[in-house]
Amino acid sequence: MIGTKILLAAAALAVSSLAGTANAAPWDHNGNRFDHRPAPVVRHEFHRPYVEHVRITDTLRFRHYRGIGDPTFVRGHYVVRTINPFGRTVFVEVDPYSGAFIGEFRI
């Protein structure tokens, strides 16, 4: 009787351990399907609008920068030639989507 219980417990343990390893199988995360067909192409047909130049000048004025030139779009952000609060000529980077101040770098 005790031997039968031990055998049934061992069989139940073996079956439950196999079910756990099936869940831990590796998954193909590169977008391909299981049979390695290419994934369907999802196209987003919307464009986030850029902020107006007035918003950029307001952001600079809020941080006590005086704009010398017009904002120029360079590599994914706006760059503006300004004079910082200490009187030095610097370039300022501004986020084109929110108008947030990113940083400055000297010429």
Side-chain angles (χ1 to χ4, degrees), residues 32-105:
N32 293 338
R33 297 180 182 177
F34 182 71
D35 56 355
H36 303 291
R37 289 183 292 165
V41 177
V42 178
R43 297 181 192 262
H44 300 287
E45 297 295 333
F46 65 92
H47 174 70
R48 291 176 57 186
Y50 298 131
V51 296
E52 296 179 359
H53 291 200
V54 175
R55 169 83 168 128
I56 293 173
T57 55
D58 289 344
T59 301
L60 296 176
R61 198 174 301 131
F62 176 74
R63 293 183 172 264
H64 306 291
Y65 286 87
R66 288 181 289 156
I68 297 174
D70 292 330
T72 307
F73 194 79
V74 178
R75 295 184 186 160
H77 57 270
Y78 279 118
V79 176
V80 186
R81 186 174 180 206
T82 61
I83 296 176
N84 69 0
F86 302 107
R88 297 185 186 110
T89 303
V90 294
F91 282 116
V92 172
E93 297 174 296
V94 180
D95 182 33
Y97 302 112
S98 65
F101 182 86
I102 296 175
E104 72 172 38
F105 52 93

